[in-house]
């Protein structure tokens, strides 16, 4: 008789992550078919080569070794276990197992009620409004959903660099003392969204980035940013620099690594001594299609 399998994540003290599953008759009439128990360890549902969760299009060699499409391409369709060709024959049985295993969002304990086939929940996590965000304040270890984080951040009001407020579409001035701190946080007056401005000092200048502290959830919206700064030495021709970012990045945690894209580079000769930097920043909300 056909059965229906549902699964939930559980933490086992001895075996780590496992899937707890239950199987019952679709008709629900025969109690003898109802059962529950541990189905398998979660790692068994990952590609044995790259350890990334398996989703669709799982391939096998003639000896039954399996691999994801990405690994098949990287290995040039040669099985690392037995050297037989791999990447042409689908492992339909394993694909059915993956589709049958339904797991909750990793943020289910925080309130998200969505469920997905195993592996697809990781894609959702990046966009989940319940994903944990990290407080951008120095020496603060608070984490929580972006809404909870915004409420928490009010406790940092009055601390240097954390009291900037602005309105979408209007300029706000931000002042950095680079010898004391390298990031400031701006709160939008109406929506209450938090944006962090970071400065990364390099030998040839300072990289400036603007990011929104939030997951990539549609409910938050999208934003653009315009930045300008004026040279301290007014004898420099064209002493005003500007930068426009068509789309502000959303991040859940600050990074200390110098960015490789979407940055505003202020050259060293614009502010001799490199002690302080003043920026004019305008963040605008983009219309959603």
């Amino acid at each position: 008789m056909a059965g229906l399998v549902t699964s939930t994540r559980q933490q086992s003290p001895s075996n780590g992550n496992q899937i707890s599953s239950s199987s019952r008759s679709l008709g629900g009439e025969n109690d003898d078919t109802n059962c529950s128990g541990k189905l398998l360890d979660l790692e068994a549902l990952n590609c044995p080569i790259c350890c990334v969760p398996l989703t669709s299009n799982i391939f096998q060699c003639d000896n039954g070794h399996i691999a994801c499409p990405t690994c098949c391409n990287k290995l040039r369709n040669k099985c690392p276990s037995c050297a037989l060709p791999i990447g042409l024959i689908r492992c339909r049985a394993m694909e059915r197992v993956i589709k049958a295993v339904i797991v909750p969002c990793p943020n289910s304990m925080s309130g998200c009620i969505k469920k997905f086939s195993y592996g697809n929940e990781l894609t959702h996590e990046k966009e989940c409004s319940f994903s944990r965000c990290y407080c951008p304040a120095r020496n603060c270890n608070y984490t929580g959903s972006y809404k909870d984080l915004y409420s928490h951040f009010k406790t940092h009001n009055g601390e240097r660099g954390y009291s900037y407020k602005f309105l979408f579409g209007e300029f706000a001035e931000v002042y950095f003392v680079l010898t004391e701190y390298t990031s400031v946080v701006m709160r939008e007056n109406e929506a209450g969204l938090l944006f962090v401005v970071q400065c990364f000092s390099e030998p040839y200048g300072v990289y400036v980035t603007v990011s929104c502290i939030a997951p990539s959830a549609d409910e938050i919206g999208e934003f653009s940013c315009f930045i300008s700064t004026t040279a301290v030495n007014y004898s420099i021709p064209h002493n005003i620099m500007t930068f426009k970012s068509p789309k502000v990045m959303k991040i859940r945690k600050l990074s200390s690594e110098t960015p490789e894209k979407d940055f505003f580079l202020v050259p060293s000769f614009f502010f001799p001594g490199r002690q302080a930097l003043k920026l004019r920043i305008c963040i605008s909300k983009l219309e959603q299609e």
Side-chain angles (χ1 to χ4, degrees):
M1 182 176 293
L4 177 66
V5 176
T6 59
S7 306
T8 57
R9 290 181 182 271
Q10 288 187 347
Q11 184 73 23
S12 169
S14 57
N15 298 324
N17 286 321
Q18 290 188 331
I19 291 180
S20 174
S21 65
S22 62
S23 177
R24 60 180 174 81
S25 167
L26 289 176
E29 297 177 355
N30 188 350
D31 292 337
D32 292 337
T33 63
N34 294 335
C35 62
S36 64
K38 301 293 184 188
L39 179 61
L40 41 78
D41 191 312
L42 281 177
E43 292 184 358
L45 299 180
N46 296 343
C47 172
I49 302 170
C50 65
C51 299
V52 172
L54 293 165
T55 52
S56 58
N57 293 352
I58 303 170
F59 293 95
Q60 65 178 6
C61 69
D62 286 345
N63 282 331
H65 302 124
I66 62 174
C68 68
T70 301
C71 287
C72 289
N73 291 331
K74 289 182 178 180
L75 296 169
R76 298 184 178 181
N77 299 104
K78 184 177 181 180
C79 178
S81 299
C82 63
L84 289 176
I86 189 170
L88 300 176
I89 304 173
R90 298 267 292 275
C91 184
R92 305 286 182 178
M94 192 63 178
E95 289 178 1
R96 289 184 62 186
V97 170
I98 294 296
K99 290 180 180 179
V101 176
I102 306 299
V103 296
C105 169
N107 302 307
S108 59
M109 297 297 291
S110 300
C112 185
I113 60 174
K114 294 185 178 180
K115 296 182 179 181
F116 308 87
S117 294
Y118 182 73
N120 293 327
E121 80 279 8
L122 301 179
T123 301
H124 161 77
E125 185 181 11
K126 299 176 182 178
E127 305 173 350
C128 179
S129 59
F130 292 93
S131 291
R132 288 189 172 273
C133 295
Y134 295 76
C135 182
R138 293 174 289 277
N139 302 318
C140 182
N141 297 321
Y142 179 87
T143 64
S145 68
Y146 82 94
K147 292 181 179 179
D148 291 339
L149 174 61
Y150 291 177
S151 297
H152 156 80
F153 197 78
K154 294 176 182 178
T155 63
H156 294 289
N157 282 347
E159 296 180 21
R160 195 169 190 185
Y162 301 145
S163 300
Y164 290 99
K165 295 184 179 180
F166 74 100
L167 289 171
F168 285 133
E170 297 185 8
F171 277 94
E173 288 192 347
V174 173
Y175 188 77
F176 278 91
V177 179
L178 297 176
T179 55
E180 296 182 18
Y181 52 87
T182 57
S183 65
V184 301
V185 179
M186 306 168 61
R187 180 188 291 273
E188 204 281 324
N189 268 338
E190 296 179 352
L193 297 175
L194 296 181
F195 291 81
V196 61
V197 186
Q198 289 183 271
C199 288
F200 303 84
S201 294
E202 294 292 341
Y204 31 82
V206 172
Y207 291 74
V208 180
T209 63
V210 177
S211 308
C212 178
I213 302 292
S216 300
D218 292 338
E219 64 188 59
I220 296 167
E222 301 292 345
F223 313 93
S224 64
C225 178
F226 182 88
I227 310 174
S228 69
T229 188
T230 303
V232 175
N233 185 356
Y234 291 100
S235 64
I236 299 176
H238 310 293
N239 61 354
I240 297 178
M241 291 189 66
T242 62
F243 170 79
K244 184 175 182 180
S245 174
K247 190 173 182 179
V248 173
M249 290 184 60
K250 297 190 186 79
I251 61 174
R252 293 186 288 150
K253 185 177 184 180
L254 296 191
S255 172
S256 59
E257 296 183 5
T258 301
E260 297 181 353
K261 61 179 181 178
D262 297 327
F263 59 82
F264 176 34
L265 176 60
V266 183
S268 302
F269 61 80
F270 249 61
F271 52 112
R274 305 177 68 177
Q275 298 291 321
L277 178 64
K278 184 166 69 174
L279 304 169
R280 295 185 73 241
I281 300 176
C282 178
I283 300 173
S284 301
K285 191 167 186 177
L286 301 176
E287 293 186 5
Q288 292 182 304
E289 298 180 356

